[in-house]
Amino acid sequence: MGAVSELEGDLDQVNTDAAIEVRDLRMAYGPKRVLQGVDFTVGAGEVIALLGPNGAGKTTTIEILEGFRAPSGGHVRVLGTEPIRGDERWRARLGVVLQSWRDHGRWRVHQLLHHLSRYYEPYANPARRPFDIAELIDAVGLTEQAGQRINRLSGGQRRRLDVAIGIVGRPEVLFLDEPTAGFDPQARRDFHDLVHRLSDLDDTTILLTTHDLDEAEKLADRILILSGGRIVADGSPDQLSRQISRDAQVRWSRGGEHFVHATEDATGFVRGLFEQYGTEIGDLEVRRATLEDTYMAILKREEA
Amino acid sequence: MNAALHAVKLGLARGWIEFKNSLTNPQDVSFTIISTAAFVVVIYFQRDATVPGTTFTLAGVTLPSMLGMLAAFNGLIGAMSMITVEREDGTLLRAKALPQGMLGYMVGRIALLTLQALGSMVILLAAGLLLLPDLAQAGLGGLLLVLAITLIGLVATLPLGAVVGSLFNNPQAVTGLSMLVVGGLVAISGIFYPISAVAGWLQAIAQAFPVYWLGLGMRAALLPDSMAAAEIGGSWRPIETILVLSAWVVAGLLLAPPILRRMARRESGSLMEARRERAMQRVG
């Protein structure tokens, strides 16, 4: 399927350093067109957050990249291979974090991780050794639960085990579909530290989907917004906010009265305020558009 | 290191780990004990009745037949329910995300089901030998034949069970339906009473399926040759037994790999999520 409808012509110009390349990716379920020409590239070692409303096709996109689903058309490469044709050697270089439920309930945490890690032994790469299990269990904060049966773990502990399973083979590319759904704030923070470690120390390329914009901003080098089956925004959180509005809102009070002013040059404006009124100024607040403002504005623009 | 061979080894390790896990699980252990106890009770009540026209106990004929039934039961129902449950809970998807994971998974399942079948048969056979010292005359040769028939029986029924399991989405429905079908087959296959007691057309149906032939093979292995007189055609019919069981083995091994590969290829997180939602509705 994919080979027939692949884009012709410019294949030789494709950047070979990219970990993930997607060109004109299309996916239809019967008459329902979920993806209508998705384009993006992820460089090796980049951390990308894929955002979008429910039903925008985030999970479909990730499943196509994981090789779990055949696309209707387009050019897709992960580590230089078309995912649906990826062999076991290719599979060994990927990590997939699944939303598990109750599988392997009777296994013990270290037992399952050790067993699953052994699948990577024939593909061992001296530069990227599989994780030491004790070290991995510690990295996801499950040391106290290492000997426990998996069906005795709490929801958050299970999700951390899912992450550990996803990275046990020390993948070059890691896919995370809503990894922190159901995490408490502490578990979320620990997870963020882990993602930073994977990205900084191991140079892992990471693609994650999330509904948590704060999380996306903290973790991602670059944000992709998927809406209506297309990528409607692609850039760093800062670049995206500047696309929508360069203005910052300045709020202050003077003589019991409250004021708001939108300006591109917040620093200059505030300097002017102080020069004019000095100590009369109170309650000063300068606020740039947050990622949430930007996200909502981009979606609104797309719907219009 | 050959990756496929390595995955086969990991599959065997997985089967062994899960077998040990089930030995320490009170629910599993009590299920095995209760179901085996039910069979032992049947034997106990049949121990004084004799097969008409002989001095051989009825229980002595029923026990080997039950061993044959257990092999078929473990292969069909065991594989069927395992596949449906593990598609729903994500075990299968996890295997798919690993290099050579599906191979390891399948080998692990075959190993586990074989160990479980052998385990319950050993318990039943041990109880049988205590209650029916007559059976001991079958000797070591007879026991080896029992083992061989068990393994053939599992190879004949496991792929079939897995295929049926992979075609359905709802574990409860599959288990219920297959219990009915296999239960019906057992009823007409001469397991608890001689097959001559059922109508001719039912005998014909029974002889198309492995349950009857596994029972017959076990009787041939454990009973004195004089008992063959009570069977269809007055013989153990070893050639026919081998032919029918081999036909099921070949059919299973031809059908199962492409169907299971197709199922595995279609497995994805969102499909599993949908099944999980449905399962939640069943529970809630």
Side-chain angles (χ1 to χ4, degrees):
Chain A
M1 236 184 327
V4 180
S5 49
E6 231 167 54
L7 277 187
E8 284 171 25
D10 58 359
L11 281 186
D12 47 345
Q13 293 165 20
V14 163
N15 177 5
T16 47
D17 287 342
I20 302 174
E21 293 163 17
V22 179
R23 301 265 173 283
D24 194 31
L25 172 61
R26 278 163 284 121
M27 185 70 184
Y29 298 112
K32 197 176 157 225
R33 290 195 288 172
V34 180
L35 302 177
Q36 321 192 37
V38 168
D39 290 281
F40 65 89
T41 304
V42 180
E46 262 194 303
V47 180
I48 303 291
L50 184 60
L51 308 180
N54 284 331
K58 300 189 295 289
T59 298
T60 300
T61 305
I62 275 213
E63 288 183 351
I64 290 170
L65 295 175
E66 289 165 346
F68 287 177
R69 210 173 260 281
S72 309
H75 169 88
V76 181
R77 292 288 182 277
V78 173
L79 294 170
T81 297
E82 189 180 350
I84 199 72
R85 294 176 204 279
D87 61 4
E88 306 295 331
R89 185 164 295 281
W90 172 79
R91 167 78 50 215
R93 299 166 69 194
L94 301 192
V96 174
V97 173
L98 296 163
Q99 298 250 16
S100 76
W101 176 24
R102 58 180 183 197
D103 62 291
H104 294 96
R106 291 177 188 170
W107 291 62
R108 296 181 191 282
V109 170
H110 68 82
Q111 187 182 38
L112 181 62
L113 280 172
H114 177 251
H115 177 75
L116 298 182
S117 77
R118 296 199 54 203
Y119 278 88
Y120 295 92
E121 283 171 4
Y123 310 94
N125 169 355
R128 294 183 83 86
R129 297 205 166 282
F131 275 99
D132 174 73
I133 299 305
E135 193 188 314
L136 178 61
I137 288 176
D138 183 55
V140 296
L142 287 175
T143 303
E144 275 172 48
Q145 287 79 26
Q148 246 177 47
R149 289 199 193 275
I150 291 169
N151 55 16
R152 306 221 173 249
L153 298 182
S154 72
Q157 289 167 346
R158 244 212 109 123
R159 296 291 293 126
R160 278 185 271 161
L161 174 62
D162 290 336
V163 173
I165 292 172
I167 61 178
V168 73
R170 212 180 279 262
E172 290 167 53
V173 176
L174 179 64
F175 296 105
L176 302 125
D177 197 1
E178 292 188 31
T180 56
F183 273 27
D184 63 33
Q186 180 62 46
R188 192 176 295 257
R189 172 163 303 186
D190 291 344
F191 171 76
H192 292 172
D193 290 343
L194 180 64
V195 170
H196 285 304
R197 275 183 51 185
L198 285 173
S199 157
D200 295 345
L201 301 181
D202 287 337
D203 219 20
T204 312
T205 307
I206 300 175
L207 179 65
L208 61 102
T209 70
T210 180
H211 280 295
D212 183 341
L213 296 164
D214 185 46
E215 175 168 288
E217 195 163 9
K218 273 192 192 126
L219 294 180
D221 301 323
R222 200 146 57 85
I223 285 173
L224 303 172
I225 299 178
L226 190 60
S227 171
R230 284 197 179 80
I231 298 289
V232 297
D234 178 348
S236 69
D238 198 46
Q239 282 168 341
L240 292 190
S241 358
R242 276 168 205 284
Q243 265 176 34
I244 290 304
S245 162
R246 297 178 164 279
D247 287 354
Q249 281 195 338
V250 182
R251 292 164 185 271
W252 72 98
S253 69
R254 185 168 64 84
E257 238 184 303
H258 287 267
F259 300 88
V260 183
H261 178 76
T263 171
E264 210 173 297
D265 177 19
T267 317
F269 180 80
V270 171
R271 190 183 299 119
L273 266 184
F274 280 110
E275 273 167 11
Q276 199 170 344
Y277 301 107
T279 53
E280 288 171 55
I281 302 292
D283 303 312
L284 179 72
E285 204 181 302
V286 179
R287 185 173 166 271
R288 287 219 174 263
T290 62
L291 183 59
E292 189 176 336
D293 300 328
T294 310
Y295 176 75
M296 297 314 289
I298 289 175
L299 287 190
K300 204 170 281 173
R301 186 185 69 193
E302 289 305 313
E303 277 164 20
Chain B
M1 194 181 324
N2 180 316
L5 202 65
H6 183 68
V8 169
K9 270 190 238 160
L10 289 178
L12 293 176
R14 160 175 291 261
W16 179 242
I17 290 173
E18 298 199 320
F19 183 64
K20 281 191 295 183
N21 281 345
S22 77
L23 289 183
T24 53
N25 181 277
Q27 217 179 329
D28 277 21
V29 171
S30 51
F31 177 78
T32 308
I33 289 176
I34 289 169
S35 53
T36 313
F39 295 136
V40 173
V41 166
V42 171
I43 294 171
Y44 182 78
F45 281 111
Q46 287 186 347
R47 78 192 183 288
D48 291 331
T50 54
V51 179
T54 71
T55 56
F56 207 81
T57 61
L58 189 56
V61 178
T62 307
L63 181 92
S65 310
M66 287 196 296
L67 290 176
M69 178 194 72
L70 271 181
F73 215 75
N74 273 287
L76 286 171
I77 311 263
M80 222 181 287
S81 54
M82 233 172 225
I83 288 269
T84 45
V85 165
E86 296 186 339
R87 274 171 92 197
E88 189 174 89
D89 73 15
T91 309
L92 214 71
L93 190 60
R94 221 182 262 304
K96 194 181 167 180
L98 292 168
Q100 297 285 7
M102 272 296 170
L103 179 61
Y105 170 81
M106 289 295 172
V107 172
R109 283 297 161 269
I110 293 168
L112 175 62
L113 286 168
T114 305
L115 287 170
Q116 282 177 341
L118 290 177
S120 56
M121 289 169 70
V122 163
I123 299 175
L124 184 59
L125 198 57
L129 288 173
L130 284 179
L131 286 171
L132 309 161
D134 281 4
L135 285 179
Q137 53 86 28
L140 186 64
L143 289 180
L144 286 177
L145 207 49
V146 167
L147 183 67
I149 296 167
T150 305
L151 294 180
I152 297 172
L154 288 172
V155 182
T157 51
L158 266 170
L160 204 69
V163 164
V164 175
S166 74
L167 298 177
F168 294 91
N169 259 335
N170 180 334
Q172 271 101 336
V174 169
T175 312
L177 196 72
S178 55
M179 284 284 201
L180 271 180
V181 173
V182 178
L185 270 181
V186 166
I188 62 171
S189 292
I191 299 297
F192 292 101
Y193 40 85
I195 192 168
S196 52
V198 301
W201 64 276
L202 284 176
Q203 289 185 22
I205 293 177
Q207 289 180 65
F209 290 93
V211 180
Y212 167 76
W213 298 99
L214 289 171
L216 178 65
M218 295 292 187
R219 289 194 294 275
L222 290 176
L223 299 184
D225 283 343
S226 60
M227 294 303 294
E231 301 293 341
I232 296 176
S235 145
W236 294 126
R237 294 197 284 167
I239 306 291
E240 288 91 331
T241 306
I242 291 169
L243 283 179
V244 175
L245 290 178
S246 311
W248 280 98
V249 167
V250 171
L253 293 183
L254 282 180
L255 272 178
I259 293 181
L260 292 177
R261 253 202 298 275
R262 180 171 157 271
M263 171 200 73
R265 208 171 31 239
R266 295 162 69 105
E267 211 55 30
S268 70
S270 43
L271 272 179
M272 199 195 78
E273 187 65 26
R275 282 196 286 267
R276 166 173 158 174
E277 301 268 311
R278 274 200 303 276
M280 289 303 201
Q281 281 165 6
R282 284 203 303 271
V283 175

